[in-house]
Amino acid sequence: MAARRTTPGAEDRPLSFIEQTRRAQLIEVTIRLVAEHGYAAASLARIAQAAGITKGAVLYHFASKDAVVAAAHAQVLDALVADVGAAVEAVPADQAPAAYVRRMIGHLAERPDHARLIVEAMLHHGRPAPEARWKPLAALLRDAREARDLGPGPDPRTLALITGGAIDAIVGEHLRDAAYDAGAAAESLIEMVEAAAFG
């Protein structure tokens, strides 16, 4: 996702403030367009028009539509991982699974454009390796049992897979119906996870 520049050798120097600002603008525009219109409709021409620049100017910063969408997807995922990670780090190990569920749902419910971009990216570029999704939560569940002085319990992989599916369903329902209370649903899911993992 490196910038594409027309000046020979320019790719070896750091991005200027103006270039960083323009790239950030293009990424934000792309997130909004993909969320509102879908991947197929978020063309380079539409991205350029929404940003108020030419298609050639977009290509100066990103080599293709796929490149700008990939940069937008990476930014969205980085923000999600950082937010959920901070929530997990802020609590003791025995409370980490609840913090994970609460913040994962909260982050995506608060940022529906980000959630829609993630869905569109998966539809057009495939899902990431399943382990990337269930392994972090499985580790949190194992650590939480240990912190509570509990012996071996239910399979953490299975619990993480089930919980991940429930998170997806709650966020999906909130995207479909903004009035659906994702926060309350998160608390219900946490109660179920607590009962299954530690009850």
Side-chain angles (χ1 to χ4, degrees):
M1 288 169 287
R4 183 178 178 196
R5 299 189 178 98
T6 56
T7 308
E11 50 282 328
D12 296 332
R13 67 170 169 80
L15 293 173
S16 71
F17 175 76
I18 292 171
E19 288 169 329
Q20 290 175 30
T21 302
R22 179 63 79 192
R23 283 171 63 86
Q25 177 200 21
L26 290 170
I27 286 170
E28 288 305 318
V29 163
T30 301
I31 291 169
R32 180 172 49 81
L33 287 176
V34 171
E36 289 177 4
H37 304 289
Y39 178 87
S43 65
L44 274 178
R46 194 172 220 168
I47 291 167
Q49 181 182 25
I53 60 176
T54 66
K55 184 176 170 181
V58 176
L59 290 171
Y60 172 81
H61 296 282
F62 297 98
S64 65
K65 170 188 165 176
D66 281 347
V68 70
V69 172
H73 187 220
Q75 179 169 302
V76 163
L77 289 180
D78 287 348
L80 175 62
V81 169
D83 192 18
V84 174
V88 167
E89 290 293 324
V91 299
D94 66 314
Q95 297 173 31
Y100 176 96
V101 169
R102 189 175 289 119
R103 197 63 223 131
M104 182 74 79
I105 292 171
H107 182 96
L108 293 170
E110 293 158 13
R111 297 163 182 82
D113 284 359
H114 288 202
R116 288 187 178 97
L117 178 76
I118 291 169
V119 171
E120 286 290 321
M122 285 192 299
L123 289 173
H124 292 276
H125 296 289
R127 293 179 172 269
E131 296 83 6
R133 180 71 188 275
W134 64 259
K135 272 190 175 180
L137 180 54
L140 294 177
L141 289 163
R142 277 193 301 271
D143 292 347
R145 282 191 66 84
E146 186 177 311
R148 297 180 193 206
D149 294 323
L150 299 171
D155 176 33
R157 177 179 183 174
T158 300
L159 284 177
L161 287 167
I162 292 167
T163 304
I167 289 169
D168 292 348
I170 290 167
V171 172
E173 186 63 14
H174 183 70
L175 291 177
R176 192 192 66 76
D177 176 8
Y180 177 69
D181 191 342
E187 296 308 317
S188 294
L189 177 56
I190 288 166
E191 287 179 18
M192 288 188 277
V193 171
E194 286 282 325
F198 313 115

